[in-house]
Amino acid sequence: MTVTDGTAAFDAAERSMWAGRAEAYARSFGRLCAYPVPHLLDAAGVTAGTRVLDVGTGTGTAALAAGERGALVRAVDADAGMVARARRRGLAAEVAVLPELPFPDGAFDAVVGNFVLNHVGRPRAALAELRRVLRPGGRIAVTLWGARRGAGQELLGQACAAGGAVPPRYLPRLDPAEDFPRTPRGLADLLIGAGFTGAGARERVWDHRTTVEEWWGGAAGGVATIGLVVTSQTPGTVARIRREYERLCAAFVPGNADGEGHLALPHVALLGSAVRQAVSAA
């Protein structure tokens, strides 16, 4: 398989994976992905009057938060269902698939991408396109899931393994030629390689507060890679996964739990930011 074929296969699998799952995502993993948004906007320098592009907006969480700061916001996502939901929330959102965006050069003061680089087959080309639509001196900030994972991130995967799940062959797999180290240094180097300056990255660590049913609902609804794994199993295997999941959840019940199935799931993500170099004065 060529690099081009591998990239196309990855992107096609991603499009299929998210199609029709906007509501299930919003009810489950969408809350998880909202946590870094204030830090993301701070890193991009988003304030009142900032022209912001939220790429991979999903259901619009980052775009809405930018609007609440008084920013002038446009939003795009590759999935039409996500865009429809974002529009229902009052956002100027449209369908666009990286690495091609329908905006002129230098159209934005800031670009943010909340957990979008994990889902594109050509992350370097995607960043180059984001640099194109950013004005000289503008800032970019992105989040993604890194190599270091919190114990809560492993919960559903461990339940699948314990329940005897067999991952389907059609899971999205990034071509190795397009991959990069999922570390703070690796993300900073990726930004530098795309032509940005002043790049830096760090980990964000938090406990995601959820419930047994809400967290299971994302996987059972087919959301993300773990959702593809769960929903591709036989009913008997799904039942075993669910039993193992409930067993493993006991390790994540917080000390102040009120008996309503609450969980505190440790998570780790990467947050990187950089600047498009300003044009030098003559």
Side-chain angles (χ1 to χ4, degrees), residues 234-262:
T234 66
T237 301
V238 172
R240 289 195 300 273
I241 294 170
R242 172 68 195 222
R243 288 195 296 271
E244 293 295 334
Y245 167 74
E246 291 178 353
R247 178 181 64 82
L248 292 167
C249 279
F252 300 99
V253 176
N256 60 350
D258 58 9
E260 295 299 322
H262 291 283

Side-chain angles (χ1 to χ4, degrees), residues 38 45 49 52 67 82 95 109 127 236 269:
V52 179
M82 294 287 189
V95 175
D109 304 311
L127 285 173

Side-chain angles (χ1 to χ4, degrees), residues 21-31 59 82 85 214 223:
R21 293 179 171 88
E23 296 301 326
Y25 169 77
R27 292 192 301 267
S28 56
F29 301 151
R31 288 188 56 250
T59 56
M82 294 287 189
R85 199 176 195 284
E214 179 181 87
V223 179

Side-chain angles (χ1 to χ4, degrees), residues 137-235:
R139 295 192 63 85
I140 184 173
V142 296
T143 54
L144 68 139
W145 302 116
R148 193 168 81 88
R149 296 168 61 84
Q153 286 167 273
E154 305 290 353
L155 171 59
L156 287 165
Q158 289 175 347
C160 285
V166 177
R169 293 183 178 181
Y170 53 83
L171 291 180
R173 301 186 190 282
L174 188 66
D175 192 295
E178 293 288 347
D179 209 352
F180 59 94
R182 306 305 172 101
T183 63
R185 183 70 263 169
L187 177 54
D189 287 345
L190 187 73
L191 289 163
I192 292 169
F196 292 98
T197 62
R202 61 189 184 277
E203 290 184 338
R204 302 295 317 188
V205 181
W206 74 100
D207 283 351
H208 176 55
R209 300 283 173 156
T210 183
T211 66
V212 171
E213 291 302 326
E214 179 181 87
W215 198 239
W216 175 255
V223 179
T225 302
I226 193 65
L228 287 184
V229 173
V230 171
T231 56
S232 67
Q233 307 304 311
T234 66

Side-chain angles (χ1 to χ4, degrees), residues 9-204:
F10 180 90
D11 286 336
E14 283 284 342
R15 299 289 73 76
S16 176
M17 180 172 70
W18 291 102
R21 293 179 171 88
E23 296 301 326
Y25 169 77
R27 292 192 301 267
S28 56
F29 301 151
R31 288 188 56 250
L32 165 73
C33 294
Y35 176 86
V37 164
H39 311 288
L40 183 78
L41 298 181
D42 289 345
V46 175
T47 59
T50 304
R51 297 172 302 162
V52 179
L53 173 64
D54 178 23
V55 62
T57 192
T59 56
T61 300
L64 283 171
E68 290 170 357
R69 296 187 178 198
L72 308 174
V73 186
R74 300 288 297 274
V76 298
D77 198 276
D79 181 69
M82 294 287 189
V83 168
R85 199 176 195 284
R87 285 176 175 172
R88 291 197 297 271
R89 302 177 79 182
L91 292 168
E94 57 191 287
V95 175
V97 182
L98 285 169
E100 296 181 5
L101 295 175
F103 305 110
D105 296 356
F108 300 97
D109 304 311
V111 173
V112 297
N114 196 35
F115 299 109
V116 66
L117 286 182
N118 299 88
H119 302 294
V120 296
R122 299 170 60 200
R124 291 170 182 81
L127 285 173
E129 178 70 348
L130 297 180
R131 181 181 178 276
R132 181 188 68 79
V133 302
L134 190 62
R135 68 164 174 80
R139 295 192 63 85
I140 184 173
V142 296
T143 54
L144 68 139
W145 302 116
R148 193 168 81 88
R149 296 168 61 84
Q153 286 167 273
E154 305 290 353
L155 171 59
L156 287 165
Q158 289 175 347
C160 285
V166 177
R169 293 183 178 181
Y170 53 83
L171 291 180
R173 301 186 190 282
L174 188 66
D175 192 295
E178 293 288 347
D179 209 352
F180 59 94
R182 306 305 172 101
T183 63
R185 183 70 263 169
L187 177 54
D189 287 345
L190 187 73
L191 289 163
I192 292 169
F196 292 98
T197 62
R202 61 189 184 277
E203 290 184 338
R204 302 295 317 188

